[in-house]
Amino acid sequence: MTSYKDLGLVNSREMFAKAMKGGYAVPAYNFNNMEQLQAIIQACVATKSPVILQVSKGARDYANINLLRNMAKGASEYAKELGCEIPIVLHLDHGDSFETCKECIDNGFSSVMIDGSHFSYEENIALTKKVVEYAHKFDVTVEGELGVLAGIEDEVSAKHSTYTEPDEVIDFVKRTGVDSLAISIGTSHGANKFKPEQCQRNEEGILIPPPLRFDILEEIEKRLPNFPIVLHGSSSVPQEYVKTINEFGGKLVDSIGIPEEQLRRAAKSAVCKINIDSDGRLAMTAAIRKTMAEKPGEFDPRKYLGPAREALKKMYIHKNENVLGSANQA
Ligand code: G3H
Ligand code: 13P
Ligand code: ZN
């Protein structure tokens, strides 16, 4: 058994309480490798932002849980070395069973998500409650989910979305004891969040997707005052990355994300955690494709992963400062 407290990590309780009061959201960035982690830490130290390091099932399969846990420990030491002791959470993203959550808690994670949103309401409650009971013994915080997000990711998929039902949230939170709740109000996973035909074009010809359901969010806030809400599927899919990827041999079609203004508005509400993974993938891929195309003789991975890390860092700084509002809140 490894406690996150020995790894220099914190759980999300105080982080969310501060975010709620301060009207900002804590960034939850996924990582699978060293360059992504370095970029996240460098950006969050540079902007003095708290951060949630997210590990998905796909990340665990790819990188190994022992290695990831020790990378998080290293990240906390690295942040101090860079001169700023920012609060860092190590979070299991989309935990799919009690066993997975337990394994992560026993391996130094300070926060877990149990995603029971694909089960029936009562099954979701029973599973979430079981995880909460175990997690709270070790002061690990738990995120539950109500409502289903549409979209496709490697390990997370749903064909259709079901918005969160505001009438269910009080009962769910009370009966499970969760510390935060992921809701479905129109975001979705991946880089193809909307079909072009669902969008409208503005004067510059840019596709504007349908707005998030802020009415549902407000209803939830009314029923659960000051309770931390989480938004998954919150990549903006910046078109500059899509353009670069396609310019240098990629083939991304209909890549549309959540406009930044919508996320900025959400961050000012009870939304205390905003999940971003796909934008990191896009920034990295764009930089790697560009370097590979422009320097075909290069075969040292540091020569293309280095610029990718820089591109990622720049993007995370922008998000912390201009979208989530988490800069200077560490
Ligand atoms: O929400 C899902 C995350 O983007 C993780 O994706 O399972 O491909 O690592 P992954
Ligand atoms: P994106 O695919 O929009 O980056 O969402 C990531 C996410 O929700 C991770 O849980
Ligand atoms: Zn997610």
Side-chain angles (χ1 to χ4, degrees), residues 20 166 169-170 183 214-229 265-271:
M20 183 74 75
V169 296
I170 298 182
I183 60 165
F214 283 100
D215 55 325
I216 298 179
L217 175 59
E218 278 160 24
E219 280 304 314
I220 292 170
E221 283 182 289
K222 264 190 220 152
R223 286 163 168 80
L224 287 177
N226 295 320
F227 191 81
I229 299 299
R265 180 172 164 195
K268 288 180 184 155
S269 72
V271 170

PDB file of all heavy atoms in Angstrom, residues 20 166 169-170 183 214-229 265-271:
ATOM      1  N   MET A  20     -14.205  26.759  -6.129  1.00  0.00           N
ATOM      2  CA  MET A  20     -15.619  27.162  -6.020  1.00  0.00           C
ATOM      3  C   MET A  20     -15.696  28.620  -5.565  1.00  0.00           C
ATOM      4  O   MET A  20     -16.407  29.423  -6.148  1.00  0.00           O
ATOM      5  CB  MET A  20     -16.300  26.234  -5.004  1.00  0.00           C
ATOM      6  CG  MET A  20     -17.764  26.480  -4.825  1.00  0.00           C
ATOM      7  SD  MET A  20     -18.714  25.892  -6.211  1.00  0.00           S
ATOM      8  CE  MET A  20     -18.672  24.140  -5.914  1.00  0.00           C
ATOM      9  N   PRO A 166     -31.352  16.883 -13.627  1.00  0.00           N
ATOM     10  CA  PRO A 166     -31.154  17.630 -12.371  1.00  0.00           C
ATOM     11  C   PRO A 166     -31.904  17.019 -11.186  1.00  0.00           C
ATOM     12  O   PRO A 166     -31.426  17.088 -10.054  1.00  0.00           O
ATOM     13  CB  PRO A 166     -31.686  19.031 -12.697  1.00  0.00           C
ATOM     14  CG  PRO A 166     -31.543  19.155 -14.168  1.00  0.00           C
ATOM     15  CD  PRO A 166     -31.766  17.779 -14.731  1.00  0.00           C
ATOM     16  N   VAL A 169     -29.715  14.516  -9.031  1.00  0.00           N
ATOM     17  CA  VAL A 169     -28.386  14.791  -8.461  1.00  0.00           C
ATOM     18  C   VAL A 169     -28.325  14.762  -6.927  1.00  0.00           C
ATOM     19  O   VAL A 169     -27.364  14.238  -6.354  1.00  0.00           O
ATOM     20  CB  VAL A 169     -27.752  16.109  -9.000  1.00  0.00           C
ATOM     21  CG1 VAL A 169     -27.489  16.015 -10.475  1.00  0.00           C
ATOM     22  CG2 VAL A 169     -28.605  17.311  -8.665  1.00  0.00           C
ATOM     23  N   ILE A 170     -29.355  15.297  -6.273  1.00  0.00           N
ATOM     24  CA  ILE A 170     -29.311  15.341  -4.792  1.00  0.00           C
ATOM     25  C   ILE A 170     -29.300  13.919  -4.249  1.00  0.00           C
ATOM     26  O   ILE A 170     -28.483  13.555  -3.398  1.00  0.00           O
ATOM     27  CB  ILE A 170     -30.526  16.087  -4.201  1.00  0.00           C
ATOM     28  CG1 ILE A 170     -30.537  17.535  -4.658  1.00  0.00           C
ATOM     29  CG2 ILE A 170     -30.515  16.022  -2.668  1.00  0.00           C
ATOM     30  CD1 ILE A 170     -31.681  18.352  -4.077  1.00  0.00           C
ATOM     31  N   ILE A 183     -20.956  15.784 -14.999  1.00  0.00           N
ATOM     32  CA  ILE A 183     -22.294  15.881 -15.586  1.00  0.00           C
ATOM     33  C   ILE A 183     -22.208  15.967 -17.109  1.00  0.00           C
ATOM     34  O   ILE A 183     -21.146  16.265 -17.670  1.00  0.00           O
ATOM     35  CB  ILE A 183     -23.067  17.105 -15.038  1.00  0.00           C
ATOM     36  CG1 ILE A 183     -22.320  18.417 -15.360  1.00  0.00           C
ATOM     37  CG2 ILE A 183     -23.294  16.980 -13.529  1.00  0.00           C
ATOM     38  CD1 ILE A 183     -23.173  19.661 -15.185  1.00  0.00           C
ATOM     39  N   PHE A 214     -26.340  25.324 -20.427  1.00  0.00           N
ATOM     40  CA  PHE A 214     -26.125  26.036 -19.161  1.00  0.00           C
ATOM     41  C   PHE A 214     -27.384  26.035 -18.296  1.00  0.00           C
ATOM     42  O   PHE A 214     -27.307  26.191 -17.092  1.00  0.00           O
ATOM     43  CB  PHE A 214     -25.629  27.461 -19.432  1.00  0.00           C
ATOM     44  CG  PHE A 214     -24.177  27.491 -19.822  1.00  0.00           C
ATOM     45  CD1 PHE A 214     -23.793  27.608 -21.143  1.00  0.00           C
ATOM     46  CD2 PHE A 214     -23.184  27.375 -18.853  1.00  0.00           C
ATOM     47  CE1 PHE A 214     -22.459  27.616 -21.502  1.00  0.00           C
ATOM     48  CE2 PHE A 214     -21.836  27.375 -19.206  1.00  0.00           C
ATOM     49  CZ  PHE A 214     -21.476  27.498 -20.533  1.00  0.00           C
ATOM     50  N   ASP A 215     -28.533  25.858 -18.951  1.00  0.00           N
ATOM     51  CA  ASP A 215     -29.777  25.799 -18.157  1.00  0.00           C
ATOM     52  C   ASP A 215     -29.767  24.574 -17.234  1.00  0.00           C
ATOM     53  O   ASP A 215     -30.165  24.648 -16.069  1.00  0.00           O
ATOM     54  CB  ASP A 215     -31.000  25.784 -19.079  1.00  0.00           C
ATOM     55  CG  ASP A 215     -30.956  24.652 -20.106  1.00  0.00           C
ATOM     56  OD1 ASP A 215     -29.847  24.304 -20.586  1.00  0.00           O
ATOM     57  OD2 ASP A 215     -32.015  24.074 -20.409  1.00  0.00           O
ATOM     58  N   ILE A 216     -29.244  23.454 -17.748  1.00  0.00           N
ATOM     59  CA  ILE A 216     -29.171  22.237 -16.917  1.00  0.00           C
ATOM     60  C   ILE A 216     -28.148  22.450 -15.791  1.00  0.00           C
ATOM     61  O   ILE A 216     -28.405  22.115 -14.631  1.00  0.00           O
ATOM     62  CB  ILE A 216     -28.794  21.000 -17.765  1.00  0.00           C
ATOM     63  CG1 ILE A 216     -29.872  20.737 -18.818  1.00  0.00           C
ATOM     64  CG2 ILE A 216     -28.579  19.768 -16.884  1.00  0.00           C
ATOM     65  CD1 ILE A 216     -29.581  19.556 -19.735  1.00  0.00           C
ATOM     66  N   LEU A 217     -27.008  23.041 -16.140  1.00  0.00           N
ATOM     67  CA  LEU A 217     -25.977  23.319 -15.127  1.00  0.00           C
ATOM     68  C   LEU A 217     -26.556  24.195 -14.012  1.00  0.00           C
ATOM     69  O   LEU A 217     -26.350  23.933 -12.817  1.00  0.00           O
ATOM     70  CB  LEU A 217     -24.768  23.994 -15.795  1.00  0.00           C
ATOM     71  CG  LEU A 217     -23.655  24.470 -14.872  1.00  0.00           C
ATOM     72  CD1 LEU A 217     -23.070  23.323 -14.053  1.00  0.00           C
ATOM     73  CD2 LEU A 217     -22.531  25.138 -15.680  1.00  0.00           C
ATOM     74  N   GLU A 218     -27.313  25.219 -14.398  1.00  0.00           N
ATOM     75  CA  GLU A 218     -27.898  26.118 -13.377  1.00  0.00           C
ATOM     76  C   GLU A 218     -28.886  25.383 -12.483  1.00  0.00           C
ATOM     77  O   GLU A 218     -28.927  25.600 -11.273  1.00  0.00           O
ATOM     78  CB  GLU A 218     -28.576  27.314 -14.055  1.00  0.00           C
ATOM     79  CG  GLU A 218     -27.555  28.389 -14.423  1.00  0.00           C
ATOM     80  CD  GLU A 218     -28.042  29.352 -15.494  1.00  0.00           C
ATOM     81  OE1 GLU A 218     -29.275  29.509 -15.651  1.00  0.00           O
ATOM     82  OE2 GLU A 218     -27.173  29.925 -16.193  1.00  0.00           O
ATOM     83  N   GLU A 219     -29.665  24.494 -13.082  1.00  0.00           N
ATOM     84  CA  GLU A 219     -30.623  23.700 -12.279  1.00  0.00           C
ATOM     85  C   GLU A 219     -29.870  22.834 -11.270  1.00  0.00           C
ATOM     86  O   GLU A 219     -30.274  22.670 -10.122  1.00  0.00           O
ATOM     87  CB  GLU A 219     -31.460  22.800 -13.196  1.00  0.00           C
ATOM     88  CG  GLU A 219     -32.599  23.500 -13.893  1.00  0.00           C
ATOM     89  CD  GLU A 219     -33.538  24.201 -12.914  1.00  0.00           C
ATOM     90  OE1 GLU A 219     -33.909  23.575 -11.906  1.00  0.00           O
ATOM     91  OE2 GLU A 219     -33.866  25.379 -13.136  1.00  0.00           O
ATOM     92  N   ILE A 220     -28.769  22.254 -11.732  1.00  0.00           N
ATOM     93  CA  ILE A 220     -27.962  21.388 -10.853  1.00  0.00           C
ATOM     94  C   ILE A 220     -27.357  22.220  -9.721  1.00  0.00           C
ATOM     95  O   ILE A 220     -27.377  21.820  -8.552  1.00  0.00           O
ATOM     96  CB  ILE A 220     -26.877  20.646 -11.677  1.00  0.00           C
ATOM     97  CG1 ILE A 220     -27.559  19.643 -12.611  1.00  0.00           C
ATOM     98  CG2 ILE A 220     -25.849  19.956 -10.771  1.00  0.00           C
ATOM     99  CD1 ILE A 220     -26.656  19.014 -13.659  1.00  0.00           C
ATOM    100  N   GLU A 221     -26.878  23.396 -10.065  1.00  0.00           N
ATOM    101  CA  GLU A 221     -26.291  24.281  -9.040  1.00  0.00           C
ATOM    102  C   GLU A 221     -27.327  24.686  -7.992  1.00  0.00           C
ATOM    103  O   GLU A 221     -26.999  24.820  -6.818  1.00  0.00           O
ATOM    104  CB  GLU A 221     -25.754  25.555  -9.695  1.00  0.00           C
ATOM    105  CG  GLU A 221     -24.440  25.366 -10.398  1.00  0.00           C
ATOM    106  CD  GLU A 221     -23.936  26.682 -10.975  1.00  0.00           C
ATOM    107  OE1 GLU A 221     -24.526  27.155 -11.959  1.00  0.00           O
ATOM    108  OE2 GLU A 221     -22.967  27.231 -10.439  1.00  0.00           O
ATOM    109  N   LYS A 222     -28.555  24.879  -8.446  1.00  0.00           N
ATOM    110  CA  LYS A 222     -29.621  25.249  -7.501  1.00  0.00           C
ATOM    111  C   LYS A 222     -29.881  24.119  -6.520  1.00  0.00           C
ATOM    112  O   LYS A 222     -30.077  24.325  -5.335  1.00  0.00           O
ATOM    113  CB  LYS A 222     -30.927  25.514  -8.284  1.00  0.00           C
ATOM    114  CG  LYS A 222     -31.135  26.972  -8.591  1.00  0.00           C
ATOM    115  CD  LYS A 222     -32.539  27.187  -9.139  1.00  0.00           C
ATOM    116  CE  LYS A 222     -32.488  28.206 -10.265  1.00  0.00           C
ATOM    117  NZ  LYS A 222     -33.552  28.048 -11.260  1.00  0.00           N
ATOM    118  N   ARG A 223     -29.870  22.908  -7.054  1.00  0.00           N
ATOM    119  CA  ARG A 223     -30.186  21.761  -6.191  1.00  0.00           C
ATOM    120  C   ARG A 223     -29.012  21.369  -5.299  1.00  0.00           C
ATOM    121  O   ARG A 223     -29.193  20.841  -4.214  1.00  0.00           O
ATOM    122  CB  ARG A 223     -30.620  20.573  -7.045  1.00  0.00           C
ATOM    123  CG  ARG A 223     -32.029  20.766  -7.610  1.00  0.00           C
ATOM    124  CD  ARG A 223     -32.216  19.795  -8.751  1.00  0.00           C
ATOM    125  NE  ARG A 223     -33.571  19.661  -9.218  1.00  0.00           N
ATOM    126  CZ  ARG A 223     -34.182  20.513 -10.044  1.00  0.00           C
ATOM    127  NH1 ARG A 223     -33.570  21.616 -10.449  1.00  0.00           N
ATOM    128  NH2 ARG A 223     -35.410  20.274 -10.458  1.00  0.00           N
ATOM    129  N   LEU A 224     -27.806  21.607  -5.787  1.00  0.00           N
ATOM    130  CA  LEU A 224     -26.599  21.239  -5.028  1.00  0.00           C
ATOM    131  C   LEU A 224     -25.708  22.467  -4.847  1.00  0.00           C
ATOM    132  O   LEU A 224     -24.645  22.562  -5.468  1.00  0.00           O
ATOM    133  CB  LEU A 224     -25.787  20.197  -5.808  1.00  0.00           C
ATOM    134  CG  LEU A 224     -26.242  18.766  -5.924  1.00  0.00           C
ATOM    135  CD1 LEU A 224     -25.276  18.002  -6.825  1.00  0.00           C
ATOM    136  CD2 LEU A 224     -26.322  18.089  -4.558  1.00  0.00           C
ATOM    137  N   PRO A 225     -26.091  23.397  -4.008  1.00  0.00           N
ATOM    138  CA  PRO A 225     -25.279  24.615  -3.895  1.00  0.00           C
ATOM    139  C   PRO A 225     -23.867  24.305  -3.420  1.00  0.00           C
ATOM    140  O   PRO A 225     -23.675  23.476  -2.527  1.00  0.00           O
ATOM    141  CB  PRO A 225     -26.032  25.465  -2.856  1.00  0.00           C
ATOM    142  CG  PRO A 225     -27.348  24.806  -2.658  1.00  0.00           C
ATOM    143  CD  PRO A 225     -27.233  23.376  -3.086  1.00  0.00           C
ATOM    144  N   ASN A 226     -22.902  24.943  -4.051  1.00  0.00           N
ATOM    145  CA  ASN A 226     -21.475  24.804  -3.678  1.00  0.00           C
ATOM    146  C   ASN A 226     -20.936  23.384  -3.767  1.00  0.00           C
ATOM    147  O   ASN A 226     -20.016  23.030  -3.033  1.00  0.00           O
ATOM    148  CB  ASN A 226     -21.225  25.344  -2.263  1.00  0.00           C
ATOM    149  CG  ASN A 226     -21.464  26.824  -2.215  1.00  0.00           C
ATOM    150  OD1 ASN A 226     -21.089  27.542  -3.144  1.00  0.00           O
ATOM    151  ND2 ASN A 226     -22.126  27.279  -1.168  1.00  0.00           N
ATOM    152  N   PHE A 227     -21.508  22.580  -4.632  1.00  0.00           N
ATOM    153  CA  PHE A 227     -20.978  21.216  -4.806  1.00  0.00           C
ATOM    154  C   PHE A 227     -20.130  21.179  -6.082  1.00  0.00           C
ATOM    155  O   PHE A 227     -20.580  21.633  -7.142  1.00  0.00           O
ATOM    156  CB  PHE A 227     -22.122  20.200  -4.876  1.00  0.00           C
ATOM    157  CG  PHE A 227     -21.630  18.787  -4.800  1.00  0.00           C
ATOM    158  CD1 PHE A 227     -21.321  18.224  -3.572  1.00  0.00           C
ATOM    159  CD2 PHE A 227     -21.421  18.042  -5.954  1.00  0.00           C
ATOM    160  CE1 PHE A 227     -20.818  16.931  -3.482  1.00  0.00           C
ATOM    161  CE2 PHE A 227     -20.923  16.749  -5.880  1.00  0.00           C
ATOM    162  CZ  PHE A 227     -20.629  16.192  -4.644  1.00  0.00           C
ATOM    163  N   PRO A 228     -18.883  20.612  -5.995  1.00  0.00           N
ATOM    164  CA  PRO A 228     -17.987  20.634  -7.168  1.00  0.00           C
ATOM    165  C   PRO A 228     -18.499  19.795  -8.342  1.00  0.00           C
ATOM    166  O   PRO A 228     -18.740  18.594  -8.213  1.00  0.00           O
ATOM    167  CB  PRO A 228     -16.681  20.036  -6.625  1.00  0.00           C
ATOM    168  CG  PRO A 228     -16.791  20.078  -5.145  1.00  0.00           C
ATOM    169  CD  PRO A 228     -18.247  20.026  -4.806  1.00  0.00           C
ATOM    170  N   ILE A 229     -18.628  20.467  -9.463  1.00  0.00           N
ATOM    171  CA  ILE A 229     -19.093  19.825 -10.705  1.00  0.00           C
ATOM    172  C   ILE A 229     -17.898  19.675 -11.644  1.00  0.00           C
ATOM    173  O   ILE A 229     -16.997  20.518 -11.671  1.00  0.00           O
ATOM    174  CB  ILE A 229     -20.194  20.690 -11.357  1.00  0.00           C
ATOM    175  CG1 ILE A 229     -21.408  20.829 -10.412  1.00  0.00           C
ATOM    176  CG2 ILE A 229     -20.613  20.157 -12.717  1.00  0.00           C
ATOM    177  CD1 ILE A 229     -22.107  19.537 -10.050  1.00  0.00           C
ATOM    178  N   ARG A 265     -17.052  30.451 -19.321  1.00  0.00           N
ATOM    179  CA  ARG A 265     -18.308  30.676 -18.585  1.00  0.00           C
ATOM    180  C   ARG A 265     -18.539  29.553 -17.569  1.00  0.00           C
ATOM    181  O   ARG A 265     -18.906  29.788 -16.423  1.00  0.00           O
ATOM    182  CB  ARG A 265     -19.471  30.748 -19.591  1.00  0.00           C
ATOM    183  CG  ARG A 265     -20.786  30.976 -18.930  1.00  0.00           C
ATOM    184  CD  ARG A 265     -21.887  31.249 -19.954  1.00  0.00           C
ATOM    185  NE  ARG A 265     -23.190  31.094 -19.337  1.00  0.00           N
ATOM    186  CZ  ARG A 265     -24.323  30.984 -19.993  1.00  0.00           C
ATOM    187  NH1 ARG A 265     -24.319  31.031 -21.303  1.00  0.00           N
ATOM    188  NH2 ARG A 265     -25.469  30.844 -19.356  1.00  0.00           N
ATOM    189  N   ALA A 266     -18.299  28.310 -18.008  1.00  0.00           N
ATOM    190  CA  ALA A 266     -18.491  27.160 -17.107  1.00  0.00           C
ATOM    191  C   ALA A 266     -17.539  27.240 -15.917  1.00  0.00           C
ATOM    192  O   ALA A 266     -17.923  26.953 -14.774  1.00  0.00           O
ATOM    193  CB  ALA A 266     -18.274  25.862 -17.880  1.00  0.00           C
ATOM    194  N   ALA A 267     -16.303  27.673 -16.167  1.00  0.00           N
ATOM    195  CA  ALA A 267     -15.289  27.712 -15.098  1.00  0.00           C
ATOM    196  C   ALA A 267     -15.670  28.684 -13.995  1.00  0.00           C
ATOM    197  O   ALA A 267     -15.263  28.532 -12.845  1.00  0.00           O
ATOM    198  CB  ALA A 267     -13.931  28.091 -15.684  1.00  0.00           C
ATOM    199  N   LYS A 268     -16.468  29.682 -14.338  1.00  0.00           N
ATOM    200  CA  LYS A 268     -16.885  30.673 -13.328  1.00  0.00           C
ATOM    201  C   LYS A 268     -18.025  30.154 -12.468  1.00  0.00           C
ATOM    202  O   LYS A 268     -18.381  30.757 -11.466  1.00  0.00           O
ATOM    203  CB  LYS A 268     -17.314  31.967 -14.030  1.00  0.00           C
ATOM    204  CG  LYS A 268     -16.131  32.716 -14.611  1.00  0.00           C
ATOM    205  CD  LYS A 268     -16.572  33.994 -15.303  1.00  0.00           C
ATOM    206  CE  LYS A 268     -15.366  34.664 -15.944  1.00  0.00           C
ATOM    207  NZ  LYS A 268     -15.703  35.509 -17.061  1.00  0.00           N
ATOM    208  N   SER A 269     -18.628  29.038 -12.873  1.00  0.00           N
ATOM    209  CA  SER A 269     -19.776  28.488 -12.142  1.00  0.00           C
ATOM    210  C   SER A 269     -19.290  27.438 -11.135  1.00  0.00           C
ATOM    211  O   SER A 269     -18.139  27.458 -10.716  1.00  0.00           O
ATOM    212  CB  SER A 269     -20.737  27.842 -13.146  1.00  0.00           C
ATOM    213  OG  SER A 269     -20.143  26.638 -13.628  1.00  0.00           O
ATOM    214  N   ALA A 270     -20.164  26.490 -10.807  1.00  0.00           N
ATOM    215  CA  ALA A 270     -19.789  25.423  -9.865  1.00  0.00           C
ATOM    216  C   ALA A 270     -18.857  24.389 -10.513  1.00  0.00           C
ATOM    217  O   ALA A 270     -18.432  23.440  -9.854  1.00  0.00           O
ATOM    218  CB  ALA A 270     -21.037  24.731  -9.350  1.00  0.00           C
ATOM    219  N   VAL A 271     -18.559  24.560 -11.783  1.00  0.00           N
ATOM    220  CA  VAL A 271     -17.619  23.643 -12.442  1.00  0.00           C
ATOM    221  C   VAL A 271     -16.221  23.915 -11.887  1.00  0.00           C
ATOM    222  O   VAL A 271     -15.660  24.980 -12.100  1.00  0.00           O
ATOM    223  CB  VAL A 271     -17.670  23.800 -13.981  1.00  0.00           C
ATOM    224  CG1 VAL A 271     -16.535  23.026 -14.632  1.00  0.00           C
ATOM    225  CG2 VAL A 271     -19.022  23.336 -14.522  1.00  0.00           C
TER     226      VAL A 271
END
